[in-house]
Amino acid sequence: MIIRNQHQPLKSALEALLRPNVIRLGKNLYGVDFDTMKVIPAFYTAQRALEMGELKEGAPIIETTSGTMGRGYAYAGRALGIPVKLVSDPVLATPLKNELESLGCEVHIVQTTADNGDVQALRLARIYELLEQHPGAYWGRQYDNPLNADSYGAVAEQLVDEVGDVHCLVATVGSGGSSGGTAKYLRKLNPKLRLIGVDTHGSVIFGQPKCSRPFRGLGNSLVPKNVRHDAFDEVHWLGAPEGYAATRILHRRQGMFKGPTSGAAFWVAQWYAAAHPDQVVVALLPDSGHRYADTVYNDQWLACQGLTCKAMPIAPDTVFSPSERMVGWTRIDWKRRTLAEVLPLTSASETMK
Amino acid sequence: MKTHCQSSEISPHPTCWTTAPHPAGSPRRSKATPSSIVANQHCGVGVCSAHQGELVQGVIRTSEGVKRRVLLTCPRPDLVSHARFVLDTDSPAIHGAEGASKANAAVRKTLDFLGRNKCGGQFLLNNNIDSGHGNGASTADVVAVTRAVADACGIQLPPEDQARIAVAAEGASDGIMFDEPVLFAQREGVVVERFAGRLPPRAGLNFDTDPEGPGVDTLALKPANFDDDEIMEFGVVIAAVRHAIHHRDVDLMGRATTASARLNQRFLPLRHFAAIDKIRQEVGAAGIHISHSGTVAGMIWRLDHPELNVMMEVASEALRDLGCGRLSSYTVY
């Protein structure tokens, strides 16, 4: 628990990473402005693993990542004095790799010419190799480690402290940690809290058929154990052009230079907030825009990739089955059901056609 | 603080019962001290009110990673303990009521704290608080007598010192020595957080879930061992209390007290908890709060609830039907 005293400087740079600013974006809309959200689960997981004795003194934390979880562990490990070994593939951007190595992380890049599935297998094989080499090491396992979700109790705490009662939480879903964890603790006070998950077309998390996902950093090609489907009241899918355009709107409208998942969460949240003026709506904005300066923020790149958004939709289309073919911006009333509860209906409606 | 207890700093006390008949006859004058000391300097009074359990209670993890048991006391100004103390500068012996061993210990600790190791005296306690139900009868006695001893010595002890003495005398204490809401570490006797403001305006109903029962032996209770998940949840509860006090938000306060009560059912289950929680929903109360070492509890409403009086009447009726007793209502503006 970190209580910021407004009249005192922060105790450390880590405290700044662990305590994001909560920013008012509209009459009934707030954004949680994380620089790197994943520092929160990384720090909590590492701290608990040490405390429970699952991570031995001097042994490393190991994680497979090509995104911001590595950055989270790099900063958490530095603060706690824990060595960090990360396994990634050539997708890892050079500036991020430099930053991680500058912090003292060991970055293992698995080289392959095979397709994407094999890269995951190779990364996993390297993880097991490292675990064998380093007795007492701890594997973070962000997709199925319950500590990942539980760490977001700190975010719920800060939200209640600063905003008070929250009626609706909008979060993008990748590992299920931030959405499920924050909602779980907010619901201890307000069980009726509406949780809206934001995903992208081609991500299997909420039952879309698996296909290539141009949207960077959103969705998943597997269903992580940490995603508690029955916690969600509503699910939205945004395509890359819409999500990227929303990110640019957030930048121009609020002066917030954020990553594309932030744009997607913001867009869904501002739509819900406008439709429900009596509710307090909060959007989690996971990372800053610096890693996307030559992509999402580059009009030429967008045009080359065919990801320019011609007309930004102002409202989503409601779908009745997550396995429908989708374009643009869609939503479904998930109604706190499990994936299995939603999918049988889907196959039934499919056969009816 | 000990520098305050030199006789030169002794000042007259308007609260002292100088005209009342003295329990130990006329106050004994010390031969060692000169005639500059007036009669009432040897006699002191202290008052402390009790509580209706705790608004919230649980375990927090400090920013240093240390686990601490903390609580926020629910004040009960209508239940009070009055103490009188007559200082004896000649003998360290302490005379008090039968069975008031904690109060006895508090007198000794206070005298020692004030640097009067060689002094003793006689105390008298008078209260309207039932013990064993979670109203904090023994702590109210301890704090009242601590204040009386300090008063007899011509000193006003800050609540922080009263808290330390109470914990030394009792092993654990609650935060009734503080006038403003504080998050109190009951085993260390220290304030972890001062909330910015008073408790929100509210209407309340106090009751006892087991009025005929034997009560709870506080010392026999096993401490609530919160796991990491419960510590995290309690962090959210405290954040809600902080926001509710700062913004005078009874609804949020009620959510926090209800969540805290629910969280603690694993450790000391309250009789009829589920039924009481159901009544809370039916009567539109903001929340329920419980005692974590007794059988008392309470329910709070926002003052602008459109049917407040009717709802409080319905709640009283339903609680009586459950077998609850010792009901009393109050309003805080």
Side-chain angles (χ1 to χ4, degrees):
Chain A
M1 182 165 77
I2 293 172
I3 301 158
R4 179 183 286 184
N5 185 331
Q6 297 292 346
H7 308 294
Q8 272 176 18
L10 298 183
K11 288 196 198 81
S12 66
L14 181 79
E15 200 173 311
L17 285 172
L18 291 177
R19 178 113 188 172
N21 290 317
V22 178
I23 299 172
R24 195 165 188 177
L25 302 176
K27 192 180 80 53
N28 59 333
L29 175 63
Y30 296 87
V32 186
D33 183 21
F34 294 98
D35 175 83
T36 304
M37 186 175 72
K38 303 264 171 144
V39 179
I40 287 173
F43 185 76
Y44 186 77
T45 304
Q47 210 181 27
R48 283 297 96 77
L50 263 183
E51 216 177 80
M52 296 183 297
E54 288 180 30
L55 170 62
K56 299 280 179 279
E57 202 80 34
I61 282 252
I62 297 168
E63 183 64 300
T64 161
T65 171
S66 56
T68 54
M69 197 65 198
R71 202 160 178 261
Y73 274 119
Y75 283 90
R78 197 211 56 82
L80 293 165
I82 300 168
V84 177
K85 295 182 196 297
L86 302 169
V87 178
S88 194
D89 52 56
V91 175
L92 185 75
T94 311
L96 179 58
K97 183 167 179 281
N98 292 344
E99 185 186 353
L100 299 175
E101 286 177 340
S102 167
L103 277 164
C105 294
E106 213 175 276
V107 184
H108 298 252
I109 304 288
V110 295
Q111 295 292 347
T112 178
T113 48
D115 68 340
N116 209 26
D118 270 338
V119 172
Q120 293 302 333
L122 281 171
R123 272 162 60 160
L124 222 58
R126 182 62 66 85
I127 288 273
Y128 285 116
E129 234 169 73
L130 286 169
L131 285 170
E132 197 138 302
Q133 285 165 14
H134 302 278
Y138 185 85
W139 178 15
R141 291 166 33 249
Q142 66 157 323
Y143 293 123
D144 46 10
N145 192 340
L147 291 174
N148 174 11
D150 285 357
S151 71
Y152 289 94
V155 177
E157 184 185 324
Q158 188 187 346
L159 278 171
V160 171
D161 187 359
E162 297 184 18
V163 178
D165 202 2
V166 177
H167 303 115
C168 174
L169 178 74
V170 181
T172 48
V173 185
S175 71
S178 64
S179 52
T182 312
K184 169 183 158 187
Y185 289 103
L186 286 176
R187 281 182 177 155
K188 302 284 182 182
L189 289 175
N190 179 7
K192 287 185 189 149
L193 170 99
R194 190 168 184 85
L195 175 61
I196 302 183
V198 182
D199 197 1
T200 187
H201 311 143
S203 155
V204 301
I205 298 178
F206 291 101
Q208 265 271 283
K210 185 172 172 176
C211 67
S212 71
R213 289 170 288 130
F215 203 128
R216 298 199 166 191
L218 185 57
N220 209 320
S221 53
L222 50 89
V223 183
K225 266 197 198 147
N226 266 333
V227 178
R228 288 285 314 273
H229 292 88
D230 54 4
F232 292 86
D233 295 287
E234 188 171 332
V235 172
H236 288 238
W237 290 271
L238 251 82
E242 293 76 22
Y244 290 0
T247 309
R248 303 288 295 274
I249 293 171
L250 176 63
H251 190 210
R252 280 196 302 274
R253 224 185 254 180
Q254 304 281 348
M256 293 179 77
F257 188 54
K258 302 297 292 173
T261 52
S262 302
F266 162 71
W267 197 249
V268 172
Q270 61 84 31
W271 165 79
Y272 187 87
H276 302 87
D278 55 335
Q279 295 190 18
V280 174
V281 183
V282 170
L284 300 184
L285 312 175
D287 71 348
S288 91
H290 293 99
R291 292 204 298 143
Y292 313 95
D294 13 321
T295 53
V296 175
Y297 287 89
N298 179 346
D299 290 335
Q300 263 178 328
W301 181 87
L302 288 174
C304 280
Q305 302 290 314
L307 295 174
T308 310
C309 183
K310 273 119 202 152
M312 188 65 193
I314 51 161
D317 293 327
T318 299
V319 296
F320 297 97
S321 144
S323 52
E324 278 178 35
R325 221 187 109 74
M326 297 175 190
V327 284
W329 177 17
T330 49
R331 68 175 282 279
I332 189 170
D333 279 318
W334 194 269
K335 294 181 181 156
R336 300 196 187 186
R337 287 173 293 174
T338 63
L339 188 57
E341 278 167 347
V342 176
L343 284 180
L345 290 175
T346 300
S347 27
S349 65
E350 216 84 311
T351 41
M352 276 165 70
K353 286 176 198 170
Chain B
M1 288 306 145
K2 287 185 184 175
T3 55
H4 286 272
C5 69
Q6 278 140 26
S7 53
S8 61
E9 286 189 29
I10 289 175
S11 57
H13 301 291
T15 50
C16 217
W17 298 341
T18 47
T19 53
H22 208 275
S26 62
R28 189 197 287 254
R29 308 258 173 131
S30 164
K31 289 176 189 112
T33 45
S35 55
S36 65
I37 296 175
V38 292
N40 67 7
Q41 279 162 2
H42 287 84
C43 150
V45 294
V47 182
C48 183
S49 58
H51 60 75
Q52 187 75 2
E54 296 76 30
L55 287 168
V56 301
Q57 178 165 332
V59 178
I60 60 160
R61 198 188 293 274
T62 64
S63 44
E64 289 80 36
V66 186
K67 286 184 189 179
R68 269 209 168 144
R69 295 172 197 287
V70 294
L71 54 79
L72 168 61
T73 295
C74 177
R76 185 76 199 264
D78 58 321
L79 301 180
V80 282
S81 173
H82 289 266
R84 291 174 62 172
F85 179 72
V86 187
L87 183 69
D88 180 349
T89 50
D90 293 338
S91 155
I94 293 162
H95 306 283
E98 284 280 317
S101 59
K102 287 176 177 177
N104 212 303
V107 171
R108 184 74 267 150
K109 305 264 180 210
T110 310
L111 287 169
D112 291 353
F113 183 81
L114 296 174
R116 310 235 164 165
N117 321 46
K118 296 201 176 83
C119 297
Q122 180 155 21
F123 69 87
L124 190 72
L125 282 166
N126 183 14
N127 72 43
N128 62 344
I129 315 163
D130 288 338
S131 61
H133 294 268
N135 283 122
S138 72
T139 305
D141 281 351
V142 160
V143 174
V145 87
T146 297
R147 288 173 173 171
V149 171
D151 188 35
C153 296
I155 287 157
Q156 264 202 331
L157 276 179
E160 289 81 1
D161 290 339
Q162 296 172 28
R164 236 165 272 138
I165 291 167
V167 167
E170 285 198 282
S173 164
D174 43 63
I176 51 179
M177 59 294 289
F178 292 89
D179 291 333
E180 74 277 31
V182 294
L183 195 60
F184 186 73
Q186 69 265 35
R187 299 199 175 232
E188 292 88 0
V190 296
V191 172
V192 173
E193 182 174 348
R194 271 169 207 286
F195 296 112
R198 290 178 292 124
L199 292 174
R202 65 203 180 278
L205 190 62
N206 293 322
F207 52 93
D208 192 333
T209 55
D210 195 5
E212 311 301 331
V216 176
D217 178 7
T218 314
L219 295 176
L221 281 176
K222 59 174 195 275
N225 283 317
F226 276 42
D227 60 26
D228 284 334
D229 186 47
E230 288 163 330
I231 290 175
M232 204 55 118
E233 181 179 342
F234 192 66
V236 179
V237 167
I238 294 301
V241 168
R242 194 181 299 129
H243 189 93
I245 290 178
H246 194 246
H247 294 86
R248 321 209 68 179
D249 182 344
V250 195
D251 285 334
L252 193 59
M253 182 57 110
R255 285 181 184 211
T257 63
T258 307
S260 176
R262 204 171 282 141
L263 198 50
N264 276 282
Q265 288 311 297
R266 190 158 83 78
F267 306 105
L268 179 65
L270 188 80
R271 209 168 157 229
H272 310 309
F273 181 78
I276 293 167
D277 195 32
K278 198 158 166 272
I279 295 171
R280 169 189 69 84
Q281 292 170 34
E282 286 163 4
V283 298
I288 48 177
H289 57 88
I290 61 166
S291 162
H292 298 74
S293 55
T295 55
V296 297
M299 214 173 266
I300 55 173
W301 283 262
R302 47 188 307 159
L303 280 176
D304 59 0
H305 190 289
E307 292 170 301
L308 183 61
N309 292 335
V310 178
M311 285 304 163
M312 287 179 81
E313 207 42 61
V314 171
S316 306
E317 206 59 35
L319 288 167
R320 275 198 200 95
D321 288 348
L322 272 184
C324 298
R326 298 170 66 220
L327 276 82
S328 67
S329 63
Y330 65 94
T331 307
V332 178
Y333 290 104

